Amino acid sequence: MSREELVVQRARKSFLTGKTKPLEFRIHQLKCLKRFITERRGDIADSVKKDLGKSEKGTELFETIGLEGEIELAVEKLSEWAAPRPVEKNFLTIADEVYVQPEPLGVVLIIGAWNYPWAVTLQPLVGAIAAGNAAVIKPSEVSSHSAKVMEELLPQYLNKDLYPVVTGGVSETQELLRQRFDHVFYTGNSTVGKLVMEAAARHLTPVTLELGGKSPCFIDKSCDITVACRRITWGKFVNCGQTCIAPDYILCEPCIQSRVVDEIKKCIKEFYTENPKTFEDYGRIINQRHFKRVMSLMEGSTVAVGGDNDETECYIGPTVLQDVTGESKVMREEIFGPLLPIISVSGVDEAIQFISEREKPLVVYVFSHDNKLIKRVIAETSSGALLANDCLVHFTVNALPFGGVGNSGMGCYHGRHSFDQLSHLRSCLIKQLKMEGVNVMRYPPHTDKKLGWARFFLLKRLNICRLRRMFMLTALAGLAAFVIQDLRACRWRRLTPKLAPSF
Ligand code: NAD
């Protein structure tokens, strides 16, 4: 039996004891996860520094604060999320209990990516624990230091059998994928995403695929270009452009292009100094393979800003590319590095057409003062999310489902969406053994009269609010009638003594 098979078996055995069902157990594990993050902040930051050259504060800002927030939210809301959810009834179920009961799925496999090695691996885990599942955690081997720290330290805080960490590369992941899971949650590129889905299909296991793609960014010429460029520069070059929701390329009219280049150049200097290579808040490309890949994407385009690089350190400076067309090499795949191409379009019509002709991205960014233009982009394009006048920050709104559509992924998470994604939403209908007479219409022999009743009961939609309003009105009318009658009676009694002598 392989190590992976053993680990999954142990997780399932432990899950089947029912240990994860009580909410107190889940809350305790979530609190342990939070304690891990706060107590081991230094180890986490060290590992990310070694993997991606990120600063300690950068790691806290982009990896662990979000995790802490997700855990706190889950702890606070768990009883609400896990509670039965009553649903609208029809005429036939008016006297019954009808609700949705979230229940754990079982054993979940979480496959993480390297670019935010802690956030993208542990954030789905928050949902898995909250929903009452066991979870096998497979961090990316590419961010090897983070994977090692996770493997060594996480089991010191969480239940070892229920939430084991399995490290390794492609063969270990493939061995894991041969096992039967109840859900696979994968973050990474879409080529491997297809393999994951194929492997899961063999067990009819549902998947969440958090993939990438080329997220476009349209700048409307009427907007505040200075502010737009500050936000775009931040969103693009954070983590050296290795962010799944980074704006991949800019679309704008030729008349604002030189302004855009100048503003981005100014921001790069302001954010990362004259020499980003020696600045602690500018990181590195993850490895030589990705360094070579990103460098080769520049072929055929003009470097307007940056372009400096050092292979020995996997360093590529923040770079803006001009004279780029839809056919340029840099437009053939997700950049996932610090290159920002600018493509000319004649206006919003052409921008919409450009976006719609390509795969559905994870995000569409639009910068404009014109709300109508923004709404038009929403109506005429499709993507995992749309963010207007900023970059990346929709990720921090845990009420918004985070995920892709089409080539950028399937399924979503964050906040309650993680809980729902990793739960089975079970339909529950509890009837009484009374009122058997109502059922006559469904039992043979089928007659026209019975069919008429069935049509009435099954097709008439029961509007509880309307019914309640009607009930209230009837009650109010009854009350009013009673009061009026009572008033009349009083008046009659007052008049009666005066009338008495004449009788
Ligand atoms: P990666 O190389 O770390 O691969 C991801 C995982 O897949 C790893 O755990 C790895 O072990 C496993 N894997 C790799 N090859 C495999 C194979 N042949 N069979 C089975 N498993 C295999 O990460 P990556 O794919 O380079 O990640 C970058 C991509 O992920 C980008 O496209 C990025 O946009 C995307 N991403 C998306 C999100 C999101 O939330 N949507 C977040 C981060 C990254």
Side-chain angles (χ1 to χ4, degrees):
M1 190 184 284
S2 68
R3 173 181 70 130
E4 289 74 19
E5 197 176 346
L6 207 69
V7 163
V8 180
Q9 257 191 24
R10 210 180 297 138
R12 187 168 297 285
K13 198 171 158 209
S14 193
F15 171 77
L16 289 174
T17 62
K19 221 184 266 181
T20 63
K21 289 235 166 143
L23 300 192
E24 302 74 50
F25 177 85
R26 305 183 201 178
I27 288 173
H28 175 68
Q29 293 297 317
L30 287 170
K31 286 182 175 167
C32 290
L33 185 58
K34 172 109 185 285
R35 196 160 57 78
F36 163 71
I37 291 162
T38 43
E39 284 181 8
R40 299 298 186 159
R41 213 183 284 286
D43 299 284
I44 294 174
D46 276 355
S47 66
V48 181
K49 176 93 195 158
K50 285 179 189 148
D51 284 328
L52 287 145
K54 213 182 271 182
S55 70
E56 194 180 330
K57 290 194 179 63
T59 296
E60 189 166 340
L61 189 61
F62 292 101
E63 297 254 17
T64 51
I65 285 186
L67 275 172
E68 287 176 57
E70 282 275 313
I71 296 171
E72 278 169 19
L73 183 77
V75 167
E76 186 193 324
K77 300 275 183 185
L78 188 57
S79 57
E80 190 185 303
W81 296 346
R85 305 172 189 177
V87 296
E88 223 175 89
K89 302 181 190 189
N90 62 19
F91 269 114
L92 283 176
T93 53
I94 196 159
D96 305 327
E97 259 186 86
V98 193
Y99 60 92
V100 171
Q101 178 63 63
E103 64 174 27
L105 286 169
V107 186
V108 174
L109 171 62
I110 297 170
I111 306 175
W114 53 264
N115 60 329
Y116 290 90
W118 292 90
V120 302
T121 314
L122 296 191
Q123 204 146 318
L125 179 65
V126 175
I129 297 175
N133 299 296
V136 176
I137 306 148
K138 162 63 187 66
S140 171
E141 70 279 15
V142 180
S143 44
S144 56
H145 297 94
S146 299
K148 194 158 176 281
V149 172
M150 205 179 285
E151 185 189 27
E152 277 172 17
L153 300 184
L154 201 58
Q156 295 180 20
Y157 291 80
L158 294 182
N159 183 297
K160 287 187 215 32
D161 291 341
L162 284 166
Y163 315 110
V165 179
V166 175
T167 53
V170 173
S171 64
E172 286 80 1
T173 319
Q174 284 172 344
E175 179 56 24
L176 276 173
L177 285 167
R178 273 189 277 278
Q179 312 307 313
R180 186 188 177 130
F181 287 94
D182 300 290
H183 194 100
V184 177
F185 195 112
Y186 164 82
T187 303
N189 66 70
S190 35
T191 309
V192 174
K194 287 173 194 162
L195 299 176
V196 168
M197 197 166 170
E198 221 177 288
R202 270 176 236 134
H203 297 288
L204 284 181
T205 298
V207 291
T208 303
L209 301 179
E210 295 289 339
L211 312 177
K214 291 180 86 63
S215 296
C217 177
F218 174 65
I219 309 177
D220 175 24
K221 66 172 181 276
S222 70
C223 83
D224 183 332
I225 290 173
T226 306
V227 173
C229 289
R230 280 180 78 76
R231 296 180 186 185
I232 294 167
T233 305
W234 171 72
K236 177 69 191 191
F237 298 113
V238 69
N239 204 26
C240 266
Q242 301 166 114
T243 305
C244 58
I245 47 174
D248 190 90
Y249 58 93
I250 288 176
L251 295 169
C252 67
E253 291 183 42
C255 60
I256 59 164
Q257 264 191 34
S258 58
R259 242 325 280 286
V260 168
V261 171
D262 287 346
E263 292 292 344
I264 294 177
K265 193 174 175 182
K266 264 194 256 166
C267 292
I268 291 173
K269 197 171 150 192
E270 182 193 331
F271 296 166
Y272 302 110
T273 74
E274 286 279 13
N275 189 5
K277 193 176 174 187
T278 56
F279 186 59
E280 67 163 343
D281 283 323
Y282 190 74
R284 293 292 182 265
I285 302 298
I286 185 76
N287 57 26
Q288 300 259 326
R289 181 170 71 84
H290 278 284
F291 174 88
K292 289 197 176 87
R293 183 189 61 78
V294 176
M295 286 302 295
S296 79
L297 293 179
M298 282 200 247
E299 284 164 22
S301 302
T302 309
V303 173
V305 180
D308 49 320
N309 61 86
D310 179 350
E311 188 170 347
T312 57
E313 278 197 33
C314 286
Y315 167 78
I316 301 175
T319 300
V320 180
L321 299 174
Q322 263 179 322
D323 303 328
V324 179
T325 68
E327 285 69 49
S328 300
K329 197 167 177 202
V330 74
M331 290 305 291
R332 283 189 219 148
E333 62 180 81
E334 179 184 2
I335 299 169
F336 221 54
L339 314 181
L340 182 53
I342 302 179
I343 295 175
S344 292
V345 285
S346 55
V348 69
D349 293 308
E350 200 185 334
I352 289 173
Q353 194 188 340
F354 193 93
I355 296 166
S356 305
E357 279 169 1
R358 288 166 170 74
E359 294 286 5
K360 290 179 183 178
L362 208 45
V363 199
V364 167
Y365 292 109
V366 50
F367 284 81
S368 177
H369 278 308
D370 181 355
N371 210 32
K372 275 205 191 115
L373 183 145
I374 294 170
K375 291 287 161 68
R376 219 193 119 191
V377 176
I378 295 179
E380 295 180 29
T381 62
S382 176
S383 57
L386 180 133
L387 177 51
N389 296 323
D390 211 337
C391 285
L392 315 186
V393 293
H394 61 293
F395 186 89
T396 64
V397 184
N398 40 33
L400 287 174
F402 182 84
V405 56
N407 211 55
S408 54
M410 63 181 70
C412 61
Y413 72 133
H414 286 194
R416 184 186 171 142
H417 304 288
S418 305
F419 178 90
D420 283 358
Q421 182 81 164
L422 296 173
S423 293
H424 169 54
L425 301 180
R426 190 182 197 182
S427 297
C428 296
L429 168 59
I430 304 176
K431 292 184 78 76
Q432 305 297 320
L433 282 164
K434 297 178 216 157
M435 293 177 45
E436 180 60 1
V438 179
N439 294 334
V440 170
M441 65 183 156
R442 65 164 126 124
Y443 297 141
H446 302 304
T447 63
D448 285 345
K449 196 172 167 199
K450 286 182 182 176
L451 195 61
W453 278 113
R455 289 190 70 82
F456 175 79
F457 278 109
L458 291 171
L459 299 183
K460 268 267 173 288
R461 285 174 51 80
L462 181 62
N463 188 331
I464 293 281
C465 289
R466 214 172 124 209
L467 221 64
R468 222 176 264 149
R469 235 178 294 133
M470 273 167 61
F471 177 77
M472 290 283 282
L473 279 176
T474 317
L476 277 175
L479 189 70
F482 175 77
V483 171
I484 290 168
Q485 215 175 19
D486 203 45
L487 281 174
R488 276 203 189 132
C490 284
R491 222 172 127 216
W492 176 247
R493 254 181 263 119
R494 256 185 277 128
L495 288 174
T496 317
K498 284 180 204 159
L499 293 171
S502 58
F503 281 112

